[in-house]
Amino acid sequence: MAVAALKNGIVIDHIPCASLFKVVNLLGIEKMENNVTIGNNFDSGSMGKKGFIKIADVELPEETLNRIAVIAPNAVINIIRDYEVVNKHSVVLPENLIDIVKCNNPKCISNNEPMRTHFHVIDRATTTLRCHYCERLVAHDQISLK
């Protein structure tokens, strides 16, 4: 199956199939008027199967890339200009996540006061986070984005 080349825009590649539609929702693709291609269950030498998202005529801010890193920590970002990849890099999970993840502890102050959430990345390989305020550990499968 052929996928049309992208003149200008971004390709988010190496998204785990189970996380693809979380990334789609995070990006708000249903509200975009840009050309978008979503591929799922494509063969990947390193992952077995993968998903990708191609969006024409857009670049994403760092905050959005940080959110993608929480959901798909091995995703690769390709910036395309004039049909050429001008920049290719993996998303990087920052050491601290400010106002990105919701604490799953209902008694945490961040859920009961008007304040920004703050998490420390404890383990990048497993995407394990610790709430700065209540110190609750949050595993990758328990993460809720704000």
Side-chain angles (χ1 to χ4, degrees):
M1 178 173 161
V3 178
L6 188 62
K7 182 176 182 181
N8 295 301
I10 191 167
V11 178
I12 307 165
D13 198 5
H14 297 282
I15 304 170
C17 295
S19 301
L20 178 66
F21 289 99
K22 291 178 185 176
V23 177
V24 167
N25 289 335
L26 177 138
L27 295 172
I29 287 177
E30 69 278 0
K31 298 173 190 162
M32 288 184 177
E33 294 188 12
N34 309 56
N35 288 333
V36 175
T37 302
I38 300 170
N40 199 17
N41 290 317
F42 278 73
D43 290 331
S44 168
S46 61
M47 300 175 66
K49 296 286 184 180
K50 69 175 181 175
F52 68 86
I53 302 169
K54 294 169 68 170
I55 309 170
D57 303 316
V58 72
E59 289 192 24
L60 299 175
E62 184 176 345
E63 180 182 335
T64 301
L65 296 178
N66 290 343
R67 289 176 180 272
I68 292 169
V70 172
I71 297 170
N74 297 314
V76 175
I77 306 297
N78 296 282
I79 306 298
I80 313 294
R81 292 197 187 103
D82 292 323
Y83 298 103
E84 298 288 331
V85 176
V86 296
N87 189 345
K88 180 176 184 170
H89 64 278
S90 296
V91 292
V92 177
L93 193 59
E95 290 183 27
N96 294 290
L97 299 169
I98 308 295
D99 219 25
I100 293 176
V101 176
K102 183 180 185 312
C103 186
N104 59 9
N105 177 1
K107 294 183 179 183
C108 180
I109 191 170
S110 68
N111 288 321
N112 295 294
E113 297 291 333
M115 59 192 315
R116 296 166 51 151
T117 62
H118 184 166
F119 283 83
H120 304 281
V121 176
I122 302 305
D123 187 341
R124 284 187 186 335
T126 62
T127 316
T128 303
L129 312 176
R130 177 181 289 132
C131 179
H132 178 77
Y133 303 108
C134 71
E135 298 189 356
R136 166 99 34 123
L137 289 178
V138 181
H140 184 262
D141 61 344
Q142 301 169 325
I143 292 173
S144 296
L145 297 178
K146 284 188 78 177

